[in-house]
Amino acid sequence: MNIKDVLTAPKNEVLFLLGNEAAVRGALEAGVSVTSTYPGTPSSEIGDVFSKVAKDADIYFEFSTNEKVALEVAAAAAVSGLRSFTFMKHVGLNVASDSLMTTAYSGVNGGMVVLSADDPSMFSSQNEQDNRHYAQLASIPLLEPSNPQEIKDIMNYCYQLSEEFQIPVLIRTTTRVSHMRGVVKLDSIFKSKNIGFFYKDPERFVPVPEAARKMHKKLMEKMNKLQERANESTLNQIFHKNGSLGVITSGGAFNYVMDVVEENNLPVNVLKLTFTHPFPEETVLEFINDVEEILVVEEVDPVMENAVLAVLGKQGVKKGIHGKLDGSLPLIYEYNPGIVLNGIKKVLNIKTIEKEIQETSIPLPERPPTLCPGCPHRAIYYSVKKVISDLDLENVIFPTDIGCYTLGIESPYKAGDYLLSMGSSIGTSCGFSKATRQCIVSFIGDSTFFHAGIPPLINAVHNKDRFVLIILDNRTTAMTGGQPHPGLPVDGMGEEAPEISIEKIVEAMGIKFLRNINPLNLKQSQLILREALEYHGVAVIISKYPCMLIKSKVKKNNFVVEVKDDCINCATCIKDLSCPAIYAENDTIRIDPKLCRGCSVCIQLCPEKAIKVKKRNINY
Amino acid sequence: MKPFNIYISGVGGQGIIKTSIVMGEAAMKMGKPVVMSEVHGMAQRGGVVSTELKIGSSRSPIIQNGHADLLLAFEPLEALRAIHKINRNSYVIINTSPIMPFNISESKYSYPDISIILEELNSKSKKLYAIDGVKIAKKAGHILSLNMVMLGGASAVPGFPLDEKILIESIKDNLPQKSLITNLKAFKEGFISVSE
């Protein structure tokens, strides 16, 4: 498949689509006009696909500086009468939540869909928060699709719902749904207008307290009507009816339930809820009429389970409710077929002799993720550690941030001590500067700096903090697959765009110590790091070198390095640099030419000068 | 129809996701239901990569522990790490060329001896096919065609549900034209190495 097929494939064709790709097709079929995001796993591929097809589809797409801006772009488009779509990872919605709350109050004209891709079990995230709570917090409808076809199909429904009730709609996926691939049957693309018009209505759009009070009342009226809609929704469906146990489930968990129920012929009724907020109370009451006990299967928090308990409590119905709260199912982490099967069996009191799951007694070495060979972050981490050791500094605090460079927590660098969220490296540096007398060296990436690093850096200057901030400018949003950001001369649709200079921003804040370094030049980097560590105030170093993954796409490097006979196998390179290309074979140091990117950092740090440049064998 | 479950594991950069998509699209072309799970993001930076593919009627893309019909392991250590997915009726194809974890010199455990890995997998599966995929790929023309060697191998396993002709069509749809000859050669050599 070519990724452009997401746009060009005709009605009734089938494609093998990732959940995230299906979301794009669904939005295009619904006639979306304005789309925005800040990249974050597991939602990133939605933006990657839009960035490739938006121009041909004649719609607008942008990588916004952060999720709050992305949501605001979508909100303004929607109040101007266009259909908009903003999508982000779960923690991104925290950033956007301030504006989301008010968008619910003032409402929309064109349909507005917000997609939150949650990450149960934290494959690539700092927490596994369950963003279904946001639907309750903001009072907006919530839908939970289970597979790529449903994601696609649900988009159009969400836009209709959003426009009918003039309210943004939240879609919640999880990693296993966003990154699930399945056969998707397509419908036609709908091309709607892409120029809207904003009709002024301050009583509706400017929530001063007087207006906001009215808005909240109106929102509650909408939610009451939406509850009827949830009860009527055919998206909430009963799948099996042959038992005394009723299983209520949603999203990715529904897939596990169906697989184990069908494979094991379990005597249960299954209610799949897709429209889950406002909670379809009548649908649930009707369903549980026929069963004696209920098991709620959902990821991550007991959101529906609490809602079922509340419904039964209100109606005075007494039935056993099982799920997370009584320990039938685990309270945290993602589920899988085995976990769900055990939960159902536990409640049904089925005791079967389980086929033993095979294990190995051979101890397995871990294979942790690491910085790529030639990654400029490795070079700067090496230099920071070297200078700190040369200066005999102790108890240095390394606030770090979100990106590939978070891997700096690993040995031998161990340069990551505190991390909360995007931009927290600088905000927490301010706090450490006030709370301790320890030396502080803080790290933030270029995209993260634009996202959330600017306000805390202003804070640091104004409040006279003292720390060293290293801005790791690798010219891309690397961790999520290399998306552009405002520091690059290109935008989300591949058009030329003004490049915002990090250096000038920092300068404008009145920061006196500002230096640019090439991190691959160890001598220069270490000299400047020394100066910065002695500086009283906020010292900013911009460490600028492109990500090797991006660089190697543009230009193949034609040299590698090799170990000479002078090598005494002291292994300083392995111990201090830990580059995946350097390894020891029977205590002899070797460099894997397939992995080496010729960054030359090992040449500079070798105490014996025993590593040298070698022309790359053209056959590799 | 009970699905044919394939668990594919290896290391980032070996072409595992692409191989899985080739199989998935081939299944789709044959009109078979198919679902797949893939891992993106942080886990890819030189770490373990795995995909799960279920061809046949199934809603969840996750293979229950012990339910894989075929384990396609691009790397020996990662084959062993996936042992909970197979049972004594599963087939295993393993590329015997190891990729050392970058931090192996500091690791608590050393990289297990290949012969021990093979013995362990042999005792816990129906049949183990150990092939030197890297060598076969190089012979076919390029080390990067390892994934097609593995795919060719998979297609030789008893019960493998995909048609060779349609698989080749899917390879043509998904891989660059310029490396097609090498890739098809690798596919064929992979098939032969497992059939023998």
Side-chain angles (χ1 to χ4, degrees), chain A residues 289-307:
Chain A
N289 248 338
D290 300 344
V291 295
E292 281 152 31
E293 288 189 290
I294 299 142
L295 173 68
V296 184
V297 186
E298 60 189 317
E299 298 167 305
V300 174
D301 290 345
V303 175
M304 295 197 304
E305 191 175 348
N306 280 325

Side-chain angles (χ1 to χ4, degrees), chain B residues 4-8 23 55 68-73 86 89-94 125-131 148-164 167 187-196:
Chain B
F4 189 86
N5 297 333
I6 309 171
Y7 190 85
I8 311 179
M23 285 195 254
I55 301 169
D69 297 293
L70 169 63
L71 167 61
L72 193 59
I86 60 168
N89 282 317
S90 308
Y91 291 97
V92 177
I93 303 178
I94 178 179
S125 63
K126 183 172 186 176
K127 191 163 166 87
L128 170 72
Y129 303 94
I131 59 174
M148 290 301 108
V149 175
M150 298 304 287
L151 180 61
S155 70
V157 163
F160 186 75
L162 303 176
D163 238 39
E164 188 189 324
L167 258 181
F187 177 84
K188 202 176 154 198
E189 291 298 323
F191 180 89
I192 292 167
S193 70
V194 165
S195 326
E196 273 164 1

Side-chain angles (χ1 to χ4, degrees), chain A residues 1 15-16 45 176 179-181 255-256 258-259 263 337 358-360 362-363 365 367 369-370 478, chain B residues 25 35-38 40 45 54 58-60 67 75 78 81 84 86-87 99 102 109 120 124 174:
Chain A
M1 190 191 91
L15 292 177
F16 191 49
E45 298 79 18
R176 297 298 191 178
H179 286 167
M180 168 181 183
R181 223 173 254 280
N255 299 330
Y256 307 137
M258 289 299 281
D259 280 358
E263 198 181 322
Q358 305 198 95
E359 285 169 13
T360 179
I362 303 167
R367 193 187 295 277
T370 180
Chain B
E25 285 194 7
V35 283
M36 167 180 160
S37 179
E38 52 191 74
H40 293 246
R45 296 280 181 268
K54 290 162 107 176
S58 171
R59 286 179 188 269
S60 106
H67 282 58
E75 203 281 341
E78 298 318 316
R81 213 190 296 282
H84 60 285
I86 60 168
N87 61 56
I99 298 176
F102 76 97
Y109 307 119
E120 180 80 348
K124 290 187 167 157
N174 283 286

Side-chain angles (χ1 to χ4, degrees), chain B residues 10-31:
Chain B
V11 178
Q14 289 188 304
I16 287 169
I17 291 181
K18 193 52 112 183
T19 310
S20 314
I21 292 174
V22 168
M23 285 195 254
E25 285 194 7
M28 181 178 77
K29 277 189 182 161
M30 291 172 68

Side-chain angles (χ1 to χ4, degrees), chain A residues 332-344:
Chain A
I332 56 174
Y333 307 143
E334 73 165 6
Y335 288 171
N336 60 42
I339 289 172
V340 172
L341 179 61
N342 284 340
I344 296 176

Side-chain angles (χ1 to χ4, degrees), chain A residues 130-170:
Chain A
D130 186 331
N131 273 9
R132 294 178 298 169
H133 294 295
Y134 271 116
Q136 300 180 346
L137 191 59
S139 294
I140 53 175
L142 170 68
L143 288 100
E144 299 181 59
S146 302
N147 59 51
Q149 181 79 56
E150 274 184 38
I151 295 177
K152 183 198 81 64
D153 293 344
I154 229 172
M155 293 299 292
N156 199 31
Y157 177 78
C158 289
Y159 281 107
Q160 286 170 5
L161 198 67
S162 173
E163 283 170 7
E164 182 183 346
F165 291 89
Q166 300 198 322
I167 195 167
V169 174
L170 181 64

Side-chain angles (χ1 to χ4, degrees), chain A residues 75-315:
Chain A
V79 296
S80 303
L82 302 181
R83 286 192 167 180
S84 69
F85 181 30
T86 186
F87 39 92
M88 54 204 70
K89 70 182 292 167
H90 58 333
V91 288
L93 197 55
N94 294 340
V95 178
S97 63
D98 204 354
S99 286
L100 176 69
M101 296 299 131
T102 316
T103 311
Y105 271 38
S106 52
V108 295
N109 294 327
M112 173 171 172
V113 174
V114 181
L115 184 147
S116 164
D118 293 7
D119 191 17
S121 281
M122 296 157 280
F123 289 88
S124 328
S125 306
Q126 65 266 42
N127 74 27
E128 60 174 351
Q129 67 182 54
D130 186 331
N131 273 9
R132 294 178 298 169
H133 294 295
Y134 271 116
Q136 300 180 346
L137 191 59
S139 294
I140 53 175
L142 170 68
L143 288 100
E144 299 181 59
S146 302
N147 59 51
Q149 181 79 56
E150 274 184 38
I151 295 177
K152 183 198 81 64
D153 293 344
I154 229 172
M155 293 299 292
N156 199 31
Y157 177 78
C158 289
Y159 281 107
Q160 286 170 5
L161 198 67
S162 173
E163 283 170 7
E164 182 183 346
F165 291 89
Q166 300 198 322
I167 195 167
V169 174
L170 181 64
I171 294 177
R172 185 250 195 172
T173 64
T174 53
T175 298
R176 297 298 191 178
V177 176
S178 286
H179 286 167
M180 168 181 183
R181 223 173 254 280
V183 178
V184 178
K185 190 173 178 198
L186 307 178
D187 291 290
S188 315
I189 302 262
F190 178 70
K191 179 77 199 81
S192 58
K193 58 179 179 174
N194 52 11
I195 305 289
F197 191 87
F198 177 67
Y199 295 94
K200 297 183 191 200
D201 186 356
E203 280 199 20
R204 185 175 161 206
F205 293 128
V206 186
V208 291
E210 181 61 27
R213 284 182 207 113
K214 287 180 196 151
M215 290 176 187
H216 196 187
K217 189 167 171 244
K218 204 171 164 196
L219 179 57
M220 290 303 105
E221 288 163 11
K222 284 182 191 176
M223 288 305 275
N224 279 335
K225 284 191 193 130
L226 275 158
Q227 176 131 42
E228 289 166 25
R229 195 51 64 87
N231 282 325
E232 292 159 7
S233 175
T234 51
L235 294 168
N236 299 330
Q237 233 181 317
I238 294 171
F239 275 82
H240 274 270
K241 246 186 149 166
N242 55 355
S244 57
L245 174 67
V247 177
I248 300 174
T249 182
S250 72
F254 162 75
N255 299 330
Y256 307 137
V257 169
M258 289 299 281
D259 280 358
V260 301
V261 164
E262 285 173 2
E263 198 181 322
N264 301 281
N265 260 325
L266 298 172
V268 299
N269 298 1
V270 178
L271 172 64
K272 174 197 198 304
L273 294 183
T274 303
F275 194 151
T276 56
H277 187 74
F279 196 63
E281 297 187 350
E282 284 170 26
T283 311
V284 168
L285 274 172
E286 210 174 295
F287 174 71
I288 62 179
N289 248 338
D290 300 344
V291 295
E292 281 152 31
E293 288 189 290
I294 299 142
L295 173 68
V296 184
V297 186
E298 60 189 317
E299 298 167 305
V300 174
D301 290 345
V303 175
M304 295 197 304
E305 191 175 348
N306 280 325
V308 172
L309 280 166
V311 173
L312 296 198
K314 267 203 287 193
Q315 302 296 328

